[in-house]
Amino acid sequence: MQQVIKFALVGTVGFAVDVSMFTIFSFGLSLHLEWARVLAFFGAAFTTWLGNRHFTFCSKNANRAVSECVKSLITACIAGVMNFSVFKVMTDYSNELLFVYFALVCGVLIGMVVNYVLSALWVFKAQHA
């Protein structure tokens, strides 16, 4: 249970990065919503990999960093497809400001569940086998 809490804390930081980058790209720089979402997603994915590597799963093997990063990015992309799909479907319904953020949160929550399962069972599995 402690690992899930740590994962959620790292995810909270990742979510803050995600929302901040999304806001800057979409509303600050006027990028199209989908492009802003993709760029923010990759920034958050890198942030959460670092946090999960050092805090949640305490990976200390420097030789595994590249492998973990690649697996984490693949995992984030799988979760991200679900995240982005939910976001896209919901924002096709409405582009009202508050609804856009509601869509963002819904997509992130679905992605978080998928990301945790794959991280625990695949990305960082060697440290816990």
Side-chain angles (χ1 to χ4, degrees):
M1 185 58 142
Q2 185 178 10
Q3 189 177 63
V4 173
I5 292 169
K6 286 181 173 184
F7 189 85
L9 289 172
V10 169
T12 300
V13 172
F15 179 72
V17 169
D18 198 346
V19 171
S20 298
M21 289 179 72
F22 175 74
T23 300
I24 291 166
F25 291 139
S26 62
F27 299 110
L29 299 175
S30 299
L31 289 180
H32 195 270
L33 287 177
E34 286 82 7
W35 281 110
R37 190 69 200 96
V38 169
L39 292 172
F41 166 78
F42 280 107
F46 184 74
T47 300
T48 56
W49 167 70
L50 284 173
N52 285 323
R53 175 174 170 73
H54 296 290
F55 180 65
T56 306
F57 299 100
C58 300
S59 179
K60 299 193 185 329
N61 187 342
N63 295 331
R64 291 186 39 88
V66 172
S67 171
E68 286 173 1
C69 186
V70 169
K71 287 179 179 179
S72 184
L73 184 58
I74 291 168
T75 294
C77 286
I78 292 167
V81 166
M82 293 178 193
N83 179 333
F84 185 77
S85 297
V86 168
F87 176 79
K88 179 66 176 139
V89 167
M90 291 179 75
T91 56
D92 281 348
Y93 175 75
S94 174
N95 276 335
E96 302 254 343
L97 181 62
L98 289 177
F99 194 81
V100 167
Y101 282 100
F102 178 67
L104 180 73
V105 170
C106 290
V108 167
L109 289 175
I110 288 169
M112 186 180 103
V113 171
V114 171
N115 201 339
Y116 177 76
V117 170
L118 291 175
S119 291
L121 297 177
W122 183 50
V123 177
F124 299 101
K125 184 180 183 210
Q127 278 74 40
H128 307 297

